[in-house]
Each structure stands twice: as structure tokens, then as C-alpha cells.
Amino acid sequence: MKKFVTVVLILALMVTMLAGCGKKEETKPAESGETKPAESESTPADSGSDVLVVYTARAESLNNAVIENFQKDTGIKVEIVTGSTGEVVKRVQSEAANPQGDILWAGSEAQLSDSIPYLESYVSPEDANMYYKNTSGYFSNAFCDPTVFIVNNELAGDIKIEGFQDLLNPELKGKIAYGDPVNSSSAFQCLIAALFDLGNGDPMSDDAWAWVEAFIENLDGVSLDSSSKVYKGVAEGEYVVGLIWEDPVADYVKQGVDVRVVFPEEGALMPGMSVSIIKGAPNMENAKKFVDYMLSEKCQSYVGENLTVRPLRNGASLNEFLKPWDEINICDSYDDKWVQEHKGEVTEKYTEYLENSMQ
């Protein structure tokens, strides 16, 4: 009997040991390349985290140039979530109670001013070196998207296209590529530049809107639904000239396409494209490092030398396809705060002029 009890106890002990071994196997650490358990993804990272989540609406080439170098130089792993400016902003807002992202890299301060409640205040030590300072505490201006014209050299021939007034030339009727300023940020920026320039600093003046009326007449019904259709339409010979931002046009020139970049002689708008930290970012220290890195001389000059995106750091290197700052006539009367407060009024008035032209 004692022998039987002993055998039973030994068997029970073996079963317990085997069960323990099986349990340990189920909870083994994830191998390289495997996805970590879902519950760990929602756990806020501590200050020693080596992860950063970036919500970006910027071009793939710029994302890659900045983020890949940041990862290489810091050892911090970056997860990128892409989308339009509206999409990434809505994501930040929807996650406000439980932030999943660290960085919002989207548009200008004027575009994003309504998002301040969802952002963390941070002014980088590198901010002192930038053309446009972070005066609000929420928007670090890293790069610039100037308003320009893209001109097809072959189609333009001898037609003078140097400024906004030249766009009223009857020879260009129906041959101008332009988007919808109600829905396109680049089209809106071009409209604002023209209003400030031609209104002598008063974007709601009669002179400014007389130009708008004549410009819409010369569009002859052309209203494109995406910015890419503007520069592609001109490059492919469908239009003579288009109103757009610098990067895609300078990139075409770099590729050898027969187009040119024209900064309007009346004054180009040079809006700063900002980077911000999301309020309550899970990886706050890494987010600050990312902002510092983006404004650094190393990052800014790398972009200026290798891409067609204009850096905003004073003294940053520029390649031959980016016009030097001192050769550009800048719209000095532009008032960013005014634009933030009156954007709806401007787009509503433009829509009225557009509808009247169709009657």
C-alpha cells in the first residue's frame, strides 16, 4: 500500500512539472519579427523607450530622408502612420483620451491652429536658428512650401508668365491648372498670396477680388480636384501654367522635365510646415528628440542638399534646384493670424465668385 501511494505521488508530481513546462512555453518572448501581444501595445512607454510613433501627411521622400536618418543616428525605432492632413489630425483628435501617436507632422500653423488642445507645448533649443520661430509653443517650423507657378516651357513659348497679373492674359484662357481652394491647401495658399499681393496688404480689398473675378474667368471652368493633377497636367502638356507649391516642380526640373519654377514677382508666400508633439504622447522624450533632430543643422542641410524641399534653418545648404532665399521676392504683408481667423470667409467668397461665373 505504501508503495502504491508513493507511485501515485510521484506521478502527480510529474504531471505538475509537465504542466508548468507547458505554461512557460506558451509565454515565451516573441522572436525577432513577431508581433508582440496586443495588450503590450497599449501600455505607455517609459522615458527609456526606444520607440516613436509619427503621424505624417508629408511626402514619402521627405518622410524617408528625415526618419531613416533619425533612426540611424539615435537608435530609436519609428512607426509611421501616413494620411492626408485632415486624416492624421482626425486620428489625433479621436485618440485624445488615450494617445497612440507621439508626433503630428502635417501642415502649417494656420491650418492646424484648431488642433492646439490636442498638442503638447514644446520649444526646441534649435528653434533659435530657424527663419520662423515657434511663437505659440506648439508648432516648430521645419520646412517650407512656397507658392509658385509651374510653367511648361514649350507650350508657354514667348508668353510672359512672371506674376499673378500675367495669369489674366487671354492667351492663357482655359490653359491654367488650378485646384479648389475650399478643399486644397496648396490652392488656398496660392489664392491667399494673390489676395495679399494684389490688395496691397488688404486681402478683402476691391482690387484683390477684381483680380479673382478676372482670374476665374480666365480659368474657363478649369477646377482640378487634386494638387497632383495641377503639376502633372502642366508637365504632361495639358496646361501651360499651374499654381502649386515648390517641391514637385523643382523635382521635375531635377528629373530633366521641360518645366520651370516661377516665384510670382508680386511676392511669394513662404508658409512654414510644422512639426508638433501630440498631447500626452506615450514616448514624450523621444518626441522631443525628434523635433530637435528635425530642426538640427545636420537634418536641415541633408534635406536641402538631397531633396527639393526647402529647409527653414538659417544657413542650411540648398541644392542647385532650389532658388536662393535672397533671390525671392517674399510677400511681406502676409498675416498668418488674419488667415486663421478669416479662412472660411475667403473660401465662401471665392465660391460665390465661381458660381457667378457659371451663370
Side-chain angles (χ1 to χ4, degrees):
M1 184 66 178
K2 288 182 178 179
K3 187 181 291 186
F4 175 75
V5 172
T6 301
V7 171
V8 171
L9 289 173
I10 291 173
L11 289 173
L13 179 61
M14 289 176 67
V15 171
T16 301
M17 291 175 67
L18 288 171
C21 290
K23 186 175 182 180
K24 184 176 182 179
E25 181 67 23
E26 290 173 0
T27 57
K28 67 178 181 178
E31 300 292 337
S32 176
E34 292 183 5
T35 302
K36 293 182 179 180
E39 59 267 20
S40 68
E41 294 178 0
S42 62
T43 303
D46 59 27
S47 59
S49 167
D50 64 350
V51 176
L52 181 74
V53 180
V54 176
Y55 293 171
T56 175
R58 303 300 289 159
E60 183 179 4
S61 59
L62 182 57
N63 286 333
N64 292 342
V66 173
I67 292 173
E68 287 181 7
N69 285 325
F70 174 75
Q71 291 184 124
K72 181 175 65 177
D73 291 346
T74 65
I76 296 171
K77 301 171 187 175
V78 180
E79 177 185 339
I80 306 174
V81 178
T82 61
S84 67
T85 296
E87 288 170 344
V88 293
V89 167
K90 285 180 181 177
R91 181 159 185 160
V92 170
Q93 294 173 349
S94 67
E95 297 173 349
N98 183 28
Q100 300 297 303
D102 302 300
I103 290 289
L104 174 62
W105 188 13
S108 66
E109 181 172 354
Q111 291 175 284
L112 304 175
S113 59
D114 291 342
S115 298
I116 286 180
Y118 306 96
L119 304 177
E120 193 82 24
S121 179
Y122 177 67
V123 178
S124 169
E126 299 289 346
D127 190 69
N129 302 302
M130 309 307 288
Y131 279 114
Y132 304 153
K133 303 295 188 292
N134 181 355
T135 57
S136 68
Y138 296 95
F139 303 98
S140 294
N141 295 295
F143 301 102
C144 184
D145 283 342
T147 54
V148 302
F149 305 156
I150 175 174
V151 177
N152 184 302
N153 291 323
E154 182 179 354
L155 294 181
D158 296 330
I159 300 175
K160 177 177 176 287
I161 306 176
E162 296 177 0
F164 289 112
Q165 291 289 6
D166 297 328
L167 300 180
L168 305 185
N169 186 334
E171 290 185 78
L172 294 175
K173 187 166 186 175
K175 301 176 182 179
I176 302 171
Y178 184 59
D180 175 11
V182 177
N183 298 304
S184 167
S185 58
S186 63
F188 178 75
Q189 295 283 13
C190 290
L191 173 62
I192 285 294
L195 290 174
F196 272 96
D197 283 337
L198 303 174
N200 293 315
D202 179 3
M204 300 306 287
S205 71
D206 291 341
D207 287 342
W209 285 92
W211 178 87
V212 171
E213 185 174 22
F215 173 67
I216 290 176
E217 177 66 23
N218 225 28
L219 286 177
D220 198 24
V222 174
S223 182
L224 304 180
D225 58 9
S226 76
S227 298
S228 62
K229 288 183 179 180
V230 173
Y231 54 81
K232 287 179 180 178
V234 175
E236 294 170 3
E238 189 175 354
Y239 303 99
V240 175
V241 58
L243 285 73
I244 197 67
W245 77 98
E246 181 183 28
D247 177 25
V249 192
D251 188 54
Y252 271 140
V253 177
K254 184 178 181 180
Q255 294 176 39
V257 179
D258 192 20
V259 297
R260 66 178 182 269
V261 180
V262 174
F263 286 82
E265 60 184 358
E266 296 94 343
L269 203 61
M270 310 290 281
M273 297 294 106
S274 63
V275 59
S276 302
I277 297 177
I278 297 170
K279 191 176 185 65
N283 305 288
M284 184 64 70
E285 293 307 310
N286 291 346
K288 293 177 180 179
K289 290 177 183 178
F290 184 76
V291 174
D292 295 345
Y293 185 84
M294 192 180 290
L295 304 188
S296 70
E297 193 281 331
K298 180 177 182 179
C299 178
Q300 291 276 304
S301 286
Y302 180 87
V303 170
E305 291 168 2
N306 294 281
L307 303 182
T308 48
V309 177
R310 185 173 294 269
L312 277 176
R313 186 182 175 102
N314 203 342
S317 302
L318 297 181
N319 61 59
E320 62 182 301
F321 305 104
L322 295 173
K323 193 171 186 176
W325 284 84
D326 58 7
E327 296 180 16
I328 301 171
N329 183 29
I330 299 175
C331 178
D332 292 328
S333 62
Y334 175 72
D335 185 339
D336 192 61
K337 185 176 181 181
W338 186 93
V339 174
Q340 293 177 38
E341 296 173 349
H342 297 85
K343 181 178 180 180
E345 183 181 348
V346 171
T347 55
E348 183 178 345
K349 189 166 184 175
Y350 180 88
T351 300
E352 290 177 1
Y353 274 62
L354 183 63
E355 291 174 349
N356 290 337
S357 71
M358 297 177 179
Q359 295 177 357

